[in-house]
Amino acid sequence: MILVTVGTQLPFDRLVKAVDAFAKELTKPVLAQIGKGTYTPENMKWIKNIEPADFDRIFREASVIVSHAGIGTVLTAKRFGKPIILVPRKAALGEHRNDHQLATVSQLVDRPGIYVAHDDDELKDYLLQDLSSPSQEDPSDVGRASLVNYLKGYLAAD
C-alpha cells in the first residue's frame, strides 16, 4: 500500500490531486490522509485524519510513504524503514507561510530512502519505481546532528 499523508495542520490539495490523478495506473492501492483539504479523491481510498492509535499500524503496512516535507513524517519513515517521497509545500501557492519545506528537502535530497518530487511527473516516476528503503538505524550520527543543527539555525533565523 502507498500511504499519502499531508499532516493535520494545513491542507495540501495539490499533493492529493496529483496522486489521485494517476492512482489507477499504480500497481499498489493508495490510502490518503487528506487532513483539512477540500479536494475529495475519486481514485483512491482516503480519510481526513488517521487516529493516533492506528497511525503506527498503517505506517507499518505501507510500502512507500508520500508526504509533505514535514520532519515528523520523515523521522517516522526512518523509524519504520520506509522509503518516503517528499513533495514540499510552496509559499507562492499559499500552501505555507514560508518556504522552509524547500530548505528542508534541500538538506535531505541525497539521503538513503528519501526521494524529492518537485512536480507531478517526478512524483509519478517515483511511484512507478521500486524504491529503496532506508535502514532503520542511521549509521551516521554526524549526519543526523548536522541536519538537526541546520534546522535549529534555520528556525532561529526566522
Side-chain angles (χ1 to χ4, degrees):
M1 170 199 33
I2 297 166
L3 173 62
V4 178
T5 179
V6 301
T8 57
Q9 296 179 10
L10 298 169
F12 197 10
D13 285 344
R14 178 172 59 93
L15 172 58
V16 176
K17 285 178 186 177
V19 177
D20 193 45
F22 49 78
K24 286 184 176 181
E25 299 175 47
L26 302 173
T27 59
K28 298 174 186 164
V30 181
L31 172 63
Q33 174 268 319
I34 65 170
K36 296 178 180 177
T38 58
Y39 175 76
T40 302
E42 298 176 3
N43 301 308
M44 60 186 175
K45 290 183 181 180
W46 62 274
I47 185 170
K48 283 280 187 185
N49 292 301
I50 298 171
E51 294 296 323
D54 296 328
F55 190 78
D56 283 0
R57 177 185 55 78
I58 292 170
F59 224 91
R60 272 190 207 96
E61 292 174 2
S63 57
V64 66
I65 309 302
V66 180
S67 178
H68 66 123
I71 201 67
T73 308
V74 172
L75 294 174
T76 303
K78 178 72 172 169
R79 180 167 52 112
F80 287 112
K82 302 295 180 176
I84 187 167
I85 304 167
L86 299 175
V87 179
R89 296 175 190 268
K90 297 178 181 176
L93 299 176
E95 296 167 343
H96 222 302
R97 68 184 182 285
N98 61 35
D99 281 326
H100 71 277
Q101 290 198 357
L102 290 170
T104 298
V105 297
S106 74
Q107 296 297 307
L108 297 174
V109 69
D110 292 323
R111 294 183 183 266
I114 298 176
Y115 306 86
V116 177
H118 289 284
D119 60 43
D120 293 357
D121 290 334
E122 285 181 324
L123 177 58
K124 183 178 179 180
D125 287 346
Y126 282 133
L127 285 171
L128 293 172
Q129 294 178 35
D130 186 22
L131 301 176
S132 298
S133 297
S135 63
Q136 288 182 307
E137 293 300 322
D138 189 350
S140 169
D141 285 338
V142 174
R144 180 177 293 127
S146 172
L147 176 60
V148 168
N149 287 334
Y150 171 82
L151 292 172
K152 283 180 181 177
Y154 183 81
L155 293 173
D158 255 358

